[in-house]
Amino acid sequence: MLKTDVAIVGAGPAGLSAAIKAASFGADVIILERDKWLGGQLVKQTHSFFGSKNEYAGIRGIDIANIFADELEKMENVQIMLETPALGYYEDNILTAYSPQGKMLKIKPNTLIFATGAMEKMIPFENNDLPGIYGAGAVQTLMNVYGVVPGENVLMIGAGNIGLIVSYQLVQAGVDVAAIVEALPEIGGYWVHASKVRRMGIPILTNHSIIKALGKEQVQGAVVAQIDEKWQPVKETAREFQVDTICLSVGLSPLIELLWQSGCHIVYSKELGGYVPILNEDLETTVPGIYVAGDASGIEEATSAIIEGHLTGCAAAKKVGYEVPKEEFIKARKGLESLRAGPVSQHIRKGLSLIRR
Amino acid sequence: MRIKDHPILSSQPARTVTFTFEGRTLEGQEGEPIAAALHNAGIKVLRHSPRLNRPRGFFCAIGNCSSCLMVVNGRPNVRVCVTPLSQGMKIEYQEGKGNLDVED
């Protein structure tokens, strides 16, 4: 059995920044990651990040993953276990995992940080299960990590940041984007991304939704219509797009199965993307010693995940007895506060106000 | 189809391997997910749903959604979106929920 001060599940931006922080105060850290690389979804982010210099603004996501990996490599008190999915956490404080050699591992951590991330949402429409319909993140992975394009022409559903960015990346990969369809009256993503795709001539249809996908064995087209304020299709506005790919960018849901299984108190929050854990100001769940950072605590983006990682890294190290200056906590909390200050984050603030204890 | 020119990404050359899909011999790159190699070969239907027999393809790419379960080297329910391709792999469609080849 392995023993450690801090075990971290998930090696995305939240998990890695938590590991670096906790280890910097002297804590022993084990990171468990189901994929075979560090960085989680950062590895497919070919665009530069925004925000402040402290959180890697101006650097592409793929390069941020490498910065984290280099930093962790220098730390002797961090053990990284790739291709090792965590399986469960039990009453006797044992975390189980599955090793790449096919062995069951038992780890006894003093504290635990879940940084398990999120998965893509689906929306209901006729034929929404046809091959050729992808989550936007899946398309990003296929193109930017494995160098394979999903098809020749794409209809993008959702004009949030992911929909806009992936549309741009599709064009970079030589794929035609027919249109971006957005059910809301306004574009949800940043103007800088929206402007980029508009400059390339891609129409963004607000107040529109997909009605059905066409095709028998795989996508051969899509029907899109304008929708009214009750989200019902407006008569005689339906039009057909000749596409072989439909890309869904309609939001994410936190991956909280392990938190649920660990006995943490979970509630539903529309604003934060689904079921989320109740957390205190250190991002500790209702089970003492279990912390949550990143999208698993509510859907935001990579920069807030990095700062939440810092905060939980500090809190976990302190919990096991290492000295952590007060200023570290203040800095992380202030960082999150300023990230969430803008009008775009209104729903996040509302969601968080309901689940913080 | 593979991306040839990309403004940001550079592709690292990987070893080309051969594998079979439903008896057809295909080529892919060693270590890429099986689903990426199939995609590159134009194969988008990865399974049929157990009850209504509806075609299913690549959806989440992170091993979460179960849309891409196939039989790999005789083993059913393999998530081909996260399983690396290797030389000589035998990839097949799965019947229903899949059968294990167990001796009675």
Side-chain angles (χ1 to χ4, degrees):
Chain A
M1 175 146 35
L2 295 161
K3 289 189 178 173
T4 185
D5 291 326
V6 184
I8 299 174
V9 180
L16 295 183
S17 66
I20 290 168
K21 232 356 164 209
S24 74
F25 299 114
D28 290 328
V29 176
I30 291 178
I31 307 175
L32 298 171
E33 166 56 48
R34 68 178 175 182
D35 272 321
K36 53 181 174 183
W37 64 78
L38 293 178
Q41 307 309 313
L42 284 174
V43 300
K44 63 191 186 189
Q45 314 295 344
T46 53
H47 61 282
S48 300
F49 276 49
F50 300 136
S52 77
K53 268 263 153 29
N54 290 334
E55 284 83 37
Y56 312 99
I59 304 177
R60 297 183 198 281
I62 37 178
D63 300 324
I64 299 175
N66 291 330
I67 293 171
F68 281 140
D70 290 346
E71 204 162 328
L72 283 166
E73 204 166 292
K74 289 183 232 146
M75 301 180 122
E76 282 175 5
N77 47 342
V78 178
Q79 191 183 346
I80 298 166
M81 304 174 92
L82 296 174
E83 294 180 86
T84 309
L87 301 174
Y89 184 65
Y90 300 93
E91 289 85 350
D92 49 0
N93 304 328
I94 288 179
L95 178 71
T96 58
Y98 189 66
S99 83
Q101 291 77 32
K103 289 253 171 13
M104 182 83 89
L105 298 174
K106 289 202 274 185
I107 299 161
K108 192 160 188 160
N110 288 323
T111 56
L112 190 48
I113 301 172
F114 284 113
T116 43
M119 77 169 290
E120 275 168 308
K121 281 186 180 166
M122 188 71 189
I123 49 167
F125 56 90
E126 196 178 327
N127 282 336
N128 71 353
D129 58 347
L130 271 186
I133 299 173
Y134 307 79
V139 163
Q140 247 188 338
T141 305
L142 191 63
M143 287 191 307
N144 298 349
V145 182
Y146 300 113
V148 175
V149 293
E152 286 177 13
N153 29 51
V154 176
L155 181 70
M156 177 66 68
I157 312 299
N161 276 326
I162 297 179
L164 297 171
I165 290 168
V166 175
S167 295
Y168 185 74
Q169 292 173 354
L170 279 158
V171 176
Q172 282 183 319
V175 180
D176 186 48
V177 179
I180 303 173
V181 174
E182 171 59 60
L184 293 171
E186 277 169 32
I187 294 166
Y190 295 139
W191 280 102
V192 55
H193 295 310
S195 308
K196 255 183 175 178
V197 297
R198 285 296 296 125
R199 278 200 294 276
M200 292 190 301
I202 302 171
I204 303 176
L205 308 173
T206 51
N207 286 322
H208 278 69
S209 189
I210 182 166
I211 306 301
K212 65 174 164 183
L214 303 170
K216 267 240 160 312
E217 281 291 292
Q218 57 191 58
V219 172
Q220 288 174 325
V223 178
V224 168
Q226 199 184 319
I227 53 171
D228 61 23
E229 61 278 7
K230 287 176 184 151
W231 294 57
Q232 295 305 309
V234 178
K235 264 185 198 152
E236 285 164 31
T237 61
R239 58 171 136 161
E240 215 177 294
F241 284 90
Q242 297 275 327
V243 290
D244 62 4
T245 304
I246 297 167
C247 200
L248 301 179
S249 155
V250 291
L252 299 163
S253 293
L255 282 174
I256 48 104
E257 289 87 346
L258 282 167
L259 288 163
W260 218 315
Q261 184 267 338
S262 305
C264 304
H265 188 175
I266 308 282
V267 292
Y268 185 80
S269 162
K270 178 176 82 180
E271 292 83 5
L272 299 173
Y275 287 93
V276 288
I278 297 271
L279 301 173
N280 71 11
E281 59 168 4
D282 284 344
L283 308 182
E284 189 176 22
T285 65
T286 51
V287 178
I290 298 186
Y291 300 83
V292 187
D295 274 353
S297 71
I299 303 303
E300 286 186 77
E301 36 72 60
T303 310
S304 52
I306 291 169
I307 307 179
E308 288 192 343
H310 287 159
L311 183 53
T312 53
C314 290
K318 190 170 179 221
K319 187 103 174 174
V320 286
Y322 295 93
E323 205 160 307
V324 181
K326 232 189 201 159
E327 293 71 41
E328 290 280 346
F329 287 88
I330 295 168
K331 194 176 134 202
R333 288 199 192 105
K334 280 217 168 121
L336 287 170
E337 210 174 290
S338 72
L339 260 185
R340 294 166 180 157
V344 184
S345 304
Q346 204 179 347
H347 65 288
I348 308 256
R349 294 197 296 273
K350 188 177 168 206
L352 290 176
S353 70
L354 300 174
I355 66 154
R356 287 288 185 266
R357 68 187 167 94
Chain B
M1 208 173 53
R2 286 192 201 279
I3 301 169
K4 288 196 186 74
D5 295 306
H6 196 284
I8 295 159
L9 299 167
S10 56
S11 57
Q12 294 133 354
R15 191 164 79 101
T16 299
V17 293
T18 57
F19 66 100
T20 63
F21 164 70
E22 290 288 303
R24 271 168 70 190
T25 301
L26 298 171
E27 281 187 353
Q29 293 189 354
E30 187 172 43
E32 71 179 340
I34 295 165
L38 291 173
H39 238 84
N40 183 45
I43 296 151
K44 284 196 172 184
V45 179
L46 303 178
R47 73 182 295 212
H48 284 80
S49 64
R51 263 204 297 168
L52 300 176
N53 199 37
R54 290 182 58 85
R56 291 283 156 81
F58 188 87
F59 180 74
C60 82
I62 55 171
N64 253 56
C65 76
S66 78
S67 185
C68 69
L69 302 179
M70 297 184 86
V71 180
V72 177
N73 294 338
R75 183 175 163 177
N77 296 314
V78 174
R79 302 169 300 171
V80 297
C81 73
V82 290
T83 304
L85 182 72
S86 60
Q87 171 62 36
M89 261 183 173
K90 190 179 166 196
I91 320 291
E92 293 165 295
Y93 280 133
Q94 173 164 325
E95 295 267 330
K97 292 177 179 172
N99 297 300
L100 278 177
D101 196 11
V102 185
E103 278 180 53
D104 288 321

